[in-house]
Amino acid sequence: MTTELTVLTLTALLAASLWVPYIVGVNSTPVPTLAENRPHDPGTLTPWVHRAFRAHLNLLEQFLPFAVVVIVAHLAEVSNAVTVWASVIFLALRLVHAVWMISGLPVLPVRPLIFTGGWLSILTIGCAVLWA
């Protein structure tokens, strides 16, 4: 298995697990009682639980395009130092982003820079595939 596919698998495991802090927070902190049996409005949750929810959604926003470019690169047999480093950097940025968000450090401009770095990683892999 290529490094890019390994990183994709690890990123998928992160995406599949990042709901855990949110669920722990929802079930361990008081939330307003709802008249109907509906999911909680994230805006009414305690700040760290809301941030955990947003961190999960934010990863999912970037995971799909990342997965597509990595799979296309694999199918096109494009694997080089550029695609390896871009995929490793993407995963590292997503890990830092999750910790940064949930811990309460989502101050500008770090969080948008982390997201932009992930986006640039995706573009880098995509361009490497198109240029190959």
Side-chain angles (χ1 to χ4, degrees):
M1 182 159 55
T2 65
T3 302
E4 297 91 337
L5 287 179
T6 301
V7 170
L8 176 61
T9 303
L10 292 172
T11 307
L13 293 172
L14 176 63
S17 303
L18 203 51
W19 61 272
V20 172
Y22 169 71
I23 294 301
V24 168
V26 165
N27 290 306
S28 64
T29 58
V31 294
T33 305
L34 300 174
E36 301 174 25
N37 187 14
R38 300 177 134 211
H40 299 293
D41 175 9
T44 63
L45 300 172
T46 57
W48 81 267
V49 178
H50 184 243
R51 289 191 307 268
F53 176 75
R54 293 287 301 140
H56 184 232
L57 288 180
N58 193 269
L59 173 57
L60 294 178
E61 289 172 4
Q62 284 196 326
F63 179 71
L64 178 62
F66 176 70
V68 169
V69 295
V70 168
I71 292 168
V72 169
H74 177 71
L75 293 174
E77 297 180 354
V78 176
S79 179
N80 54 44
V82 171
T83 60
V84 168
W85 278 105
S87 63
V88 169
I89 289 169
F90 179 83
L91 176 59
L93 288 170
R94 297 315 310 175
L95 285 167
V96 169
H97 183 271
V99 170
W100 194 267
M101 275 292 285
I102 296 170
S103 68
L105 299 171
V107 294
L108 295 174
V110 176
R111 192 177 59 83
L113 290 175
I114 293 170
F115 186 86
T116 302
W119 174 69
L120 290 172
S121 297
I122 294 166
L123 289 181
T124 300
I125 298 168
C127 288
V129 170
L130 293 173
W131 288 332

